[in-house]
Amino acid sequence: TPLLTAARAAGCSGSDAEKAECILTRLFAPNKEQALADANLSRLSIAPRPPLPGVLEVLLTIGDGLMDVPLSKTDKIAVLGSGDGRFPILAALHGARILAVEKEPVPYARSLLALHRLRDLLNNFGDDLIDRDAKCEDRAAKGDCAKSPDFMLGNCTRSCYNRTQPTRLQWQEMEVEFQQAASSVANLSGVTLAILGQDGPKGTDGKEIAALTMKMETELPAGAMVWSLDPLPLQGAQVQEISDGKTSSVPAGGLVFQRRLHLNVSWSRDVPCHVYIRVPKPSSALRPKWPLTLEEAKRLHQAATEELVS
């Protein structure tokens, strides 16, 4: 697995949790320039601090947030507001496919540095990261991925993939991609778990959170789950349908609240996490005709009243 391979390359041992923490320490260690700045006590350090353990990291292993169904190689996780990249990389080490989206340039650059170091760890242990054909590696090193993209991408996919795309890493079934963009433009197709940042929706802009919630209600596939430290303003998705020559909005599924978990982390014994699940559009047989006529409304009201009386 990526976790075991990276741990062996980094010289990390112990339990899986200890190995993961050791690897993350290596990936987010300050570079030489930052270390020198830290050593100079005469001025304030400008080195970025290693990211703190995220609140939601514990949910990757205990299963409560996934309805006791562990992550598999077919799952795709979207971290919307990925910060310095600690959480996406940790999830990738467990073998999941990750899409990490962060709009702020400084933490985004930090996440790319950690991704580059992870690539080196996996590559230094063996040649699983690149094609086993030495000719492919040589041609990629000479720049043939850019000179002859059709041939190289068809015959030396892995060599070119990891040399030409610094924002992505693919190793065996593991895949992680970082994007510098607002969460509102992320492609959520195929996502089975969406996570709203390491610390929940950032900022106090209610319109931005509402727009992101509507995007997830509309674009996430049925069965997908959402983790958020803050409650989301659910509205339900709608689509336009034409019936009898008239266009109307009808329900198209959306997110429903599933449960609220209370997490015990290092800095708090009770951090609430809200879990939502995407439900599909109801079939036409389960929907009443809309808009209701006055006669139909009276009939439904009478039927409900009779049922209550009986």
Side-chain angles (χ1 to χ4, degrees), residues 295-309:
E295 291 75 14
E296 181 67 12
K298 289 180 179 179
R299 187 189 69 79
L300 291 174
H301 182 268
Q302 181 180 2
T305 304
E306 290 175 352
E307 183 177 352
L308 289 174
V309 172

Side-chain angles (χ1 to χ4, degrees), residues 13 35 50 54 62 89 101 159 173 176 179 204 228 242 254 266 273 293:
S13 59
I62 64 174
I89 288 180
V101 182
S159 292
E173 276 99 14
V176 56
Q179 295 181 359
T204 57
S228 174
I242 299 177
S266 58
C273 173
T293 63

Side-chain angles (χ1 to χ4, degrees), residues 5 17 27 79 97 103 109 122 124 128 154 191 210 245 281:
T5 301
L27 298 182
V79 184
R97 295 182 298 139
K103 65 180 180 180
L122 295 174
N124 288 339
D128 298 275
V191 170
K281 171 184 176 182

